[in-house]
Amino acid sequence: MSFADVRNRWGSKLRLVDWYLCFGLVFLFLVICGLATGVWKLNIVLNDADTLPIEAVAIKGDRQFTSDEEIRVALQDLMQRSFFSADVNQVQQALEALPWVYQASVRREWPAKLKVYLVEQRAVAHWNASEWLNEQGQVFQAPMKEGIGSLPSLAGPEEQALSVLTNYRQVSELLNINGFNLTRLELSPRHAWLAVLENGIELKLGREDKMARVQRFINVYPTLVNQSKPVARVDLRYDTGLAVGWDDAQNESH
């Protein structure tokens, strides 16, 4: 085949090509490359802590036991990220890991601020000597702080925390309206109840009918208090009576 034949053959093929389509595809390819490059550069800028740093964290909410320093330490690593790359969920988790924080909500505020709202734990009782119970009956660990005030002591199996708190409120209300103050309520592993009053008297309430047994103690207390010896404990685990232990532990009456 001669050179002229080859040239004519390729010329025929080129005349069949849709050049508008080819140029259009090339143009589209260049646009896509330009957009991809722009997105890549924008991603670099948005994730550059030096270009778009988090300049401030605004903390709102009533705080009594959580200091600014604790918050600063909890967030110091997360604050090294840019405004857009900072994960607000991680910020929330870091704050809720603080011992006296119950709940935290976090949101971004343009151009360079995080707004945080904190809700602290509200302790309503000591739990098993070393922990706390909040209003929801949830157990949490936190260091002792000034200003907590006097709280009752509750004890029992971990999974029974809410039940113990609920029963404390019921028993305490009945005792309070009759002039007594309940300072401790304990549920044993065998599900027996023990109550301790502010005056030191222990009430053994057993496993059943605890409210009726508390009422029995209230009814008989005027008689007990008139005895010559102070009451140390009252065993109410009887169907109709009770047993009294005196301070010298020598006499018991039914």
Side-chain angles (χ1 to χ4, degrees), residues 108-168:
R108 295 183 180 90
E109 185 175 86
W110 179 262
K113 180 188 290 186
L114 293 181
K115 296 194 74 172
V116 175
Y117 187 84
L118 293 182
V119 177
E120 282 195 324
Q121 295 277 14
R122 184 178 176 187
V124 296
H126 297 280
W127 176 252
N128 286 338
S130 61
E131 298 173 305
W132 307 90
L133 276 186
N134 63 18
E135 291 180 303
Q136 293 75 31
Q138 299 169 334
V139 179
F140 68 97
Q141 294 184 337
M144 174 65 74
K145 296 282 187 176
E146 292 184 6
I148 293 177
S150 178
L151 296 177
S153 295
L154 306 182
E158 197 80 3
E159 68 277 6
Q160 295 295 322
L162 178 57
S163 175
V164 175
L165 179 60
T166 301
N167 281 274
Y168 166 80

Side-chain angles (χ1 to χ4, degrees), residues 116-231:
V116 175
Y117 187 84
L118 293 182
V119 177
E120 282 195 324
Q121 295 277 14
R122 184 178 176 187
V124 296
H126 297 280
W127 176 252
N128 286 338
S130 61
E131 298 173 305
W132 307 90
L133 276 186
N134 63 18
E135 291 180 303
Q136 293 75 31
Q138 299 169 334
V139 179
F140 68 97
Q141 294 184 337
M144 174 65 74
K145 296 282 187 176
E146 292 184 6
I148 293 177
S150 178
L151 296 177
S153 295
L154 306 182
E158 197 80 3
E159 68 277 6
Q160 295 295 322
L162 178 57
S163 175
V164 175
L165 179 60
T166 301
N167 281 274
Y168 166 80
R169 288 168 171 165
Q170 295 171 349
V171 174
S172 180
E173 182 178 6
L174 177 58
L175 288 167
N176 284 343
I177 62 178
N178 288 278
F180 299 94
N181 187 23
L182 179 62
T183 60
R184 179 174 176 81
L185 185 66
E186 179 180 336
L187 179 65
S188 75
R190 299 182 63 182
H191 296 276
W193 295 95
L194 172 68
V196 180
L197 307 183
E198 188 177 41
N199 58 13
I201 297 176
E202 294 183 359
L203 305 180
K204 294 182 178 182
L205 303 175
R207 301 174 62 178
E208 301 174 354
D209 301 324
K210 60 183 174 301
M211 298 301 290
R213 290 171 178 177
V214 170
Q215 185 61 55
R216 189 190 310 162
F217 163 77
I218 293 170
N219 295 339
V220 79
Y221 184 75
T223 301
L224 298 178
V225 78
N226 287 327
Q227 304 302 311
S228 58
K229 297 177 181 179
V231 179

Side-chain angles (χ1 to χ4, degrees), residues 57-156:
V57 178
I59 308 292
K60 292 188 176 182
D62 294 330
R63 282 187 294 140
Q64 187 178 2
F65 307 126
T66 306
S67 67
D68 291 341
E69 178 62 17
E70 287 178 299
I71 294 173
R72 187 193 67 78
V73 172
L75 299 182
Q76 61 183 357
D77 292 335
L78 298 172
M79 292 293 289
Q80 304 304 314
R81 302 178 185 179
S82 76
F83 175 73
F84 286 100
S85 66
D87 189 331
V88 293
N89 291 323
Q90 289 184 348
V91 173
Q92 177 181 335
Q93 292 170 7
L95 291 171
E96 290 181 348
L98 293 173
W100 279 101
V101 173
Y102 174 66
Q103 191 175 54
S105 60
V106 183
R107 65 182 179 87
R108 295 183 180 90
E109 185 175 86
W110 179 262
K113 180 188 290 186
L114 293 181
K115 296 194 74 172
V116 175
Y117 187 84
L118 293 182
V119 177
E120 282 195 324
Q121 295 277 14
R122 184 178 176 187
V124 296
H126 297 280
W127 176 252
N128 286 338
S130 61
E131 298 173 305
W132 307 90
L133 276 186
N134 63 18
E135 291 180 303
Q136 293 75 31
Q138 299 169 334
V139 179
F140 68 97
Q141 294 184 337
M144 174 65 74
K145 296 282 187 176
E146 292 184 6
I148 293 177
S150 178
L151 296 177
S153 295
L154 306 182

